[in-house]
Amino acid sequence: MVPDIGRGSRTHGLLVYLYGPGRREEHTDAHLVGSWDGFAPDPGRDPEPPVTLARLTAALDLRVKQVGDRAPAKHVWHCSVRTAPGDRRLSDEEWNAVARRIVHATGIAPDGDLDGCRWIAVRHAEDHIHIVATLVRGDLRNPRLNYDFNKAQAECRRIEKEMGLRRLNVGDGTAAKNPTSAEKFKAERTGRPEPSRETLREAVRQALAGADDETEFFTRLHEAGLRVKVRHAPSGDALGYNVALPGDRNRDGEPIWYPGSKLAPDLSLPKIRLRLADGPAERTRSATNSRPEWSSPARERRGATDSAERAAVLLDRDDDEAAVQLVGIGELLDAVAHTSPAVTRAEVAAAARAFERATRSHIRAERADTRALRSAARGIIRAGAALGRGEDGGTTAMLLSTLVLATLAAARWHTARGHAQQAHASRQAAEHLRTAYHQAAATPMRVLHDQGRALPEAQRRRYKDVLHTHFPDLAVQADGTPTRTDALVATLAQAGQAGHEPEALLKQAINMRELDTAENVTDVLVWRLRRISHLPAHSDQAARGLQAGTPSTKDSTTRTSERNTTTPTPRPLLADPRGRLPRR
């Protein structure tokens, strides 16, 4: 059950809307289900609705007229209360009880208070009512409405429990502001896929992802095509900023500006400055883990996977200082969404939007920092868009696999602290990332599977025995079906060919962190093994080497060394600072 509270100054105008057909003819059978004294006139049940509507307006506004200029400027209190999808249909009597409980809980009309405000509850749909009250009491004083929204939310949670309705998650006041009805209707009218507020929120978060400083952040906003207005103090220092979409104007033809703090609590300029205060980390993490023939997006995604893995480990420690890792993971998701291949772009963007809610809570980390994750996000943005094939596609799957486990670790961290909305958002993000992972991993995992199947039978049996020895539970999946280990066998064989000890490498991959939350353990192990052994995420060369037979460790090392000394190093791709796809 969801309450939504607003205030206005025109009682008659609101009643005309509630008893009218609605903007899309969605209002049906409008009628009262409750009122302050049970005898209010009902335009929905009267043969002369206009006359009755005027009488109802006059009755509600009686005390407002009595106090004259002392009445609040916005004296109309309006609260819509909606049941969740799938809930049973409530009767008029039940909705009357809901309305009375909410006006009591918020202080509009406490039970037994004869001087409470005048109010009515109108029903014009099966799943919700509208409560309208005028904010002058019978003793001509104003009601005390401190934290009325929080009180209405808390009462709705109790009503859900007592009436057997769907139990929604409890909020903590850290969520971003939702678009208003007017913003939603305008988006529909103008053909926009979503309200401007949501488009701007995503654009600002992507501009912030990995930004070095405040100047770069504002530059990215301009490059994204947004209108930007910075508010300055007399000293010249920036106090805040507003953004607007090109072409989004009000009835007077002026741009509709949104302050950063109204897009999300953590997007105000002071909060952004706190995030930028530490500066970027030293960018040395992936230099030894990559090959010169790999593209810039592939190298950066491989390095970002290491950072995401470390963040998940910190979240597993269940320490309040890990709260900052949530912000870093959110920033990394924004960067990946901005540069994602077309095949995974929609799901990764949905994951970033969902996880945005998980980055905010009342817990503040004082000593930890997020420089490693911010540096990874910066590298991904600077490298530009990734292709959905080859090494780009393979490392995208590698990173997404780790981000699934990181978001699940975030869900556990929030659940342990009673953050229901944030935990739910983390799980939503994990589901979107799983879908994106399956899209990105289809081709590289199929290639690895074929490579494993092409190995000589004796070699396949040897590596399967290694798997059974060190991970006996791997033979059967959670649903009871046999596990397909061909890709894992191929990876172990390629690691041996590259000069590694497969058994030691497998033990290291298993012990890196938990595997209980993995949907497919073999896939997780494949990407861990390929990352820590510096194997290509998607390589046809490895397949040709395996088909020729696996050489000894010494021969493999020698040939690799000779090849590296005789092959000139290709010039690295230059990243376009505007995030465009680098030319190949």
Side-chain angles (χ1 to χ4, degrees):
M1 184 169 285
V2 181
D4 186 12
I5 295 175
R7 297 199 187 180
S9 57
R10 296 178 62 245
T11 309
H12 185 264
L14 178 56
L15 294 180
V16 168
Y17 167 73
L18 295 180
Y19 279 97
R23 293 182 174 90
R24 294 168 295 179
E25 305 291 332
E26 73 275 17
H27 297 175
T28 59
D29 189 26
H31 60 280
L32 286 184
V33 294
S35 65
W36 72 94
D37 61 357
F39 298 101
D42 184 2
R45 294 290 184 265
D46 194 282
E48 297 184 44
V51 175
T52 312
L53 198 64
R55 289 173 51 214
L56 180 58
T57 303
L60 284 170
D61 279 344
L62 175 63
R63 294 166 178 171
V64 177
K65 301 295 184 183
Q66 288 176 337
V67 298
D69 294 339
R70 292 190 293 112
K74 292 188 175 181
H75 64 271
V76 181
W77 187 87
H78 174 213
C79 175
S80 64
V81 188
R82 187 180 303 271
T83 53
D87 274 340
R88 65 182 177 84
R89 179 180 178 180
L90 301 186
S91 66
D92 284 355
E93 292 74 19
E94 288 175 311
W95 275 122
N96 178 37
V98 169
R100 289 185 176 280
R101 291 182 63 165
I102 288 178
V103 295
H104 166 74
T106 55
I108 293 291
D111 288 345
D113 185 353
L114 300 179
D115 286 327
C117 297
R118 293 191 168 194
W119 63 271
I120 61 169
V122 180
R123 181 179 188 178
H124 55 207
E126 291 187 357
D127 63 346
H128 70 276
I129 59 170
H130 293 262
I131 305 171
V132 180
T134 46
L135 300 181
V136 179
R137 291 168 43 84
D139 52 14
L140 303 186
R141 294 185 295 114
N142 297 336
R144 292 186 176 182
L145 298 180
N146 296 335
Y147 308 106
D148 54 344
F149 178 75
N150 293 343
K151 293 173 181 176
Q153 284 272 17
E155 189 63 26
C156 283
R157 300 295 82 79
R158 289 188 283 267
I159 292 171
E160 289 165 355
K161 182 178 180 181
E162 294 173 20
M163 290 190 170
L165 303 175
R166 177 181 168 189
R167 306 280 293 277
L168 300 183
N169 293 323
V170 179
D172 60 0
T174 61
K177 180 177 174 58
N178 289 324
T180 64
S181 297
E183 291 171 351
K184 294 176 183 177
F185 286 131
K186 182 177 181 180
E188 293 180 8
R189 187 175 66 253
T190 57
R192 293 186 182 275
E194 62 186 2
S196 300
R197 183 187 300 274
E198 295 187 348
T199 303
L200 288 168
R201 183 185 302 139
E202 182 176 14
V204 171
R205 295 188 75 87
Q206 290 186 354
L208 181 58
D212 248 350
D213 51 33
E214 198 173 312
T215 301
E216 183 177 358
F217 167 63
F218 286 123
T219 300
R220 286 188 185 179
L221 289 179
H222 285 290
E223 290 179 346
L226 304 184
R227 300 174 65 98
V228 183
K229 181 171 62 176
V230 181
R231 303 189 304 278
H232 292 93
S235 63
D237 296 332
L239 295 176
Y241 70 99
N242 295 49
V243 289
L245 285 179
D248 187 22
R249 299 179 179 275
N250 59 21
R251 66 182 62 185
D252 298 322
E254 300 170 339
I256 299 178
W257 296 100
Y258 291 86
S261 60
K262 298 299 182 182
L263 296 176
D266 56 341
L267 293 183
S268 66
L269 189 56
K271 295 289 181 64
I272 287 174
R273 282 173 174 161
L274 286 176
R275 192 186 300 190
L276 297 174
D278 289 334
E282 293 293 330
R283 296 190 46 75
T284 59
R285 68 183 189 285
S286 60
T288 60
N289 296 353
S290 61
R291 300 182 182 180
E293 67 268 23
W294 294 347
S295 68
S296 293
R299 289 197 297 270
E300 295 299 337
R301 275 161 170 72
R302 187 176 286 261
T305 305
D306 293 334
S307 298
E309 186 88 50
R310 287 193 292 272
V313 170
L314 291 173
L315 286 168
D316 285 339
R317 292 178 183 173
D318 200 26
D319 187 342
D320 281 357
E321 292 300 313
V324 75
Q325 303 303 320
L326 301 169
V327 178
I329 292 172
E331 199 161 332
L332 183 56
L333 279 171
D334 288 327
V336 176
H338 186 59
T339 60
S340 183
V343 67
T344 58
R345 188 173 302 144
E347 290 295 338
V348 178
R353 285 193 172 195
F355 196 76
E356 183 257 353
R357 180 68 186 95
T359 62
R360 292 190 302 274
S361 70
H362 289 301
I363 294 178
R364 295 287 178 267
E366 301 296 337
R367 298 183 301 277
D369 66 61
T370 183
R371 284 178 294 174
L373 286 165
R374 296 202 71 249
S375 178
R378 179 176 179 78
I380 285 175
I381 292 289
R382 289 258 173 133
L387 299 174
R389 59 182 184 273
E391 192 64 18
D392 280 13
T395 50
T396 295
M398 178 185 290
L399 176 56
L400 292 176
S401 174
T402 303
L403 285 172
V404 170
L405 298 183
T407 50
L408 291 175
R412 292 195 300 273
W413 187 90
H414 279 304
T415 300
R417 286 155 181 77
H419 303 162
Q421 289 190 355
Q422 291 91 331
H424 177 67
S426 300
R427 288 189 289 269
Q428 278 187 316
E431 288 305 311
H432 286 297
L433 288 170
R434 276 188 172 129
T435 301
Y437 168 75
H438 290 309
Q439 294 166 341
T443 298
M445 291 304 293
R446 184 173 64 249
V447 169
L448 285 172
H449 172 76
D450 293 342
Q451 291 172 6
R453 299 282 292 179
L455 286 172
E457 185 59 32
Q459 204 172 351
R460 281 166 48 82
R461 191 180 306 113
R462 174 156 54 90
Y463 286 117
K464 286 194 173 185
D465 289 342
V466 170
L467 291 174
H468 181 71
T469 299
H470 295 283
F471 206 152
D473 297 335
L474 194 63
V476 178
Q477 298 187 71
D479 59 4
T481 60
T483 303
R484 298 178 64 182
T485 59
D486 294 312
L488 191 50
V489 166
T491 297
L492 288 172
Q494 291 170 17
Q497 184 187 28
H500 298 280
E501 174 53 50
E503 291 192 46
L505 206 65
L506 179 63
K507 287 192 287 186
Q508 181 184 349
I510 292 172
N511 294 329
M512 282 177 68
R513 60 181 299 270
E514 60 86 23
L515 290 164
D516 295 338
T517 54
E519 182 184 46
N520 190 318
V521 175
T522 58
D523 282 25
V524 174
L525 289 176
V526 162
W527 298 123
R528 285 184 184 176
L529 287 167
R530 302 192 79 80
R531 191 170 81 251
I532 62 181
S533 61
H534 313 323
L535 289 174
H538 183 80
S539 174
D540 292 334
Q541 222 172 16
R544 290 195 293 271
L546 284 176
Q547 289 170 356
T550 304
S552 67
T553 300
K554 180 179 178 181
D555 291 343
S556 171
T557 306
T558 302
R559 274 200 286 271
T560 302
S561 175
E562 290 173 352
R563 184 172 63 251
N564 289 341
T565 57
T566 58
T567 304
T569 301
R571 183 180 178 183
L573 297 172
L574 294 177
D576 190 318
R578 289 167 292 185
R580 292 201 297 252
L581 184 67
R583 297 178 62 185
R584 282 168 167 72

